[in-house]
Amino acid sequence: MEIDDLTPAETSVWRAFAYGHPVDFRTGPDEDATGEDTWGPERTLRASVLKTLLVAAPQREGEIAALKVRGARITGTLRLTHGVLDHPVSLTHCRFDETPELYAVRLRQLNLRGSVLPGLNLGGSRIDGVLRLTDCHLNGPLRLGGAQITAALFMERARLVASDSTQAALQLTQAVIGDDLWAPELSVRGETRLNGTSVSGTLNIEGARFDHPGATALSALTLDASADVNARQVRTRGQVDLRGARIAGRLDLSHSRLRHPGGVALRASSCVIGELWLSGAEPVRGTLHLRRSRIDVLSFAPEVVPGEVLLNELTFTALTPHEPAERRLPLLERDGEGYVPYAYEQLTAAYRRIGDDRGARAVQLAGQRRLRATLPWYGRLWGHLQDITVGYGFRPLRAAAWLVSLLAAGSLVYALHPPRPLKASESPHFDAVFYTLDLLLPVISFGQEGAFAPDGWYQALSYALIITGWVLATTVVTGVTRSVSRQ
């Protein structure tokens, strides 16, 4: 292309390129590229001119060439597919008539801050520096699948809208980001895909909006984050799917709002996460799916998860904030798989680690009661009997109370109707209290039981006291042993 073919606007950009000087077509520093004002030829640049400039423009010795344009309208398709460009590209606050095609391009740096585009294709690209999409508005898909960005990706306050419901609005699958992914207040209407993405720094989407009702709003399968994922105050409509994610630091969903009624609102199954925070979040509308995950610290108040959960094989070390077991147990009762023994064992272990023995026993007792509901009628009957008498062994004082009550009742009965002695000449003096103790307490003998033989139903009573005594005394000993062993 000859220099004589250029418009005045293009000529100014051409001349500034060799020196890396910026060319600003804006009428003021606060001009909004999303406005309805008509941008005429005085600020219009052809995409073909920019391509030629980047690929074949002559260089000035001693100068660092760079394309720096602000507030221009770019017509035609900027097609740099498979290109290798040695110059930084900055097209900020611009309007693109057509989707730039930058597939597999190699750039030193790309800055599209504040620009309006019908879409952007950077799939498979390599950017040896920063990619800045701050305040961009895209009315079509942003394709970054397989991109390699050696520095940070900035997308603060970007607005992305899917033009086609079959395509994701943001496609960042299998991308590698060498520093932070910085996207607070990002807004996406349509699906966001971060499947297989690797972020070496912090992934910050604080205050972001992901809107795809009735479907998957944010898909981040096998996401690999080497630091924290800051998702505070995130608002979602649709499923958040983090299956297989590896997050070394904290996944912070504090003060968030997750909504997917009738479906899974948050799926973080088979994940390895340092800390998962839902502190101060609005009640989750939809299922919380954490099956097979390993989480060091799990932080949320019971009222944050009022609906169905899936917790089988979830392993966690600490559960905060500390709440009475009675506040945590309803969560396990809402498990979509019914009675899940593993979940009760994990919650029991969490209470034991912080020294809350009462809470641990309450969880174990609740687990036994849930198990009872799954048994046949005779198993449920026996379970009810164990629960009433000894609290499945977790209420040793109740067993002691039963022993005292049976001792009093037996002593009264045998005091009114003493059993006959087996050998009157050799029998000790009959004592109703110690005779009843002989029946109730295994191993220990006061010499009364073997010396007297009750008749009729008094004999049946003695058998009942012997059997009951074995059960209750064993329960008391087990409870005391459990308490001593934990001191």
Side-chain angles (χ1 to χ4, degrees), residues 165 190-191 211-218 237-240 259-260 264-265:
S165 60
E191 184 179 357
D211 195 11
H212 199 201
T216 300
L218 173 60
R237 289 204 303 166
Q239 177 177 255
V240 176
R259 295 185 176 181
H260 189 38
V264 177

Side-chain angles (χ1 to χ4, degrees), residues 341-426:
Y342 192 88
Y344 285 90
E345 290 299 324
Q346 282 296 299
L347 187 55
T348 298
Y351 278 107
R352 282 181 175 166
R353 274 190 288 268
I354 61 175
D356 188 350
D357 190 57
R358 178 188 174 281
R361 290 198 307 270
V363 175
Q364 288 181 297
L365 179 57
Q368 290 294 325
R369 288 170 175 168
R370 287 292 306 280
L371 173 62
R372 182 177 70 207
T374 67
L375 301 176
W377 69 267
Y378 48 86
R380 294 196 300 273
L381 183 61
W382 174 242
H384 280 294
L385 181 60
Q386 286 183 296
D387 196 356
I388 293 170
T389 55
V390 296
Y392 284 100
F394 299 109
R395 298 287 187 265
L397 291 180
R398 185 184 297 177
W402 276 103
L403 281 173
V404 172
S405 299
L406 291 173
L407 174 61
S411 300
L412 179 61
V413 169
Y414 289 117
L416 295 175
H417 301 279
R420 62 180 177 83
L422 291 176
K423 296 180 180 180
S425 60
E426 300 178 7

Side-chain angles (χ1 to χ4, degrees), residues 210-254:
F210 299 97
D211 195 11
H212 199 201
T216 300
L218 173 60
S219 178
L221 279 62
T222 66
L223 169 71
D224 187 357
S226 300
D228 294 337
V229 175
N230 180 4
R232 295 171 62 90
Q233 301 181 40
V234 160
R235 301 290 185 265
T236 66
R237 289 204 303 166
Q239 177 177 255
V240 176
D241 195 346
L242 302 175
R243 276 177 291 171
R246 299 291 184 270
I247 300 173
R250 178 190 305 167
L251 171 57
D252 191 351
L253 286 161
S254 300

Side-chain angles (χ1 to χ4, degrees), residues 407 411 414 428 430-452 462 465-467 469-470:
L407 174 61
S411 300
Y414 289 117
F430 178 74
D431 188 302
V433 174
F434 283 95
Y435 179 75
T436 307
L437 279 175
D438 252 357
L439 295 175
L440 285 173
L441 298 180
V443 181
I444 299 175
S445 175
F446 295 100
Q448 293 280 319
E449 180 186 356
F452 299 92
S462 68
L465 290 174
I466 292 171
I467 295 172
W470 270 99

Side-chain angles (χ1 to χ4, degrees), residues 8 20 53 83 89 96 114 129 164 170 219 280 299 318-320 327 342 422 436-437 453:
L53 187 62
V89 177
F96 290 78
D164 185 347
L170 173 57
S219 178
S299 178
L319 182 62
T320 62
R327 293 250 299 150
Y342 192 88
L422 291 176
T436 307
L437 279 175

Side-chain angles (χ1 to χ4, degrees), residues 75 78 94 116 120 193 360 383 411:
T75 61
L78 181 59
C94 294
V116 178
L120 178 61
R193 294 178 187 165
S411 300

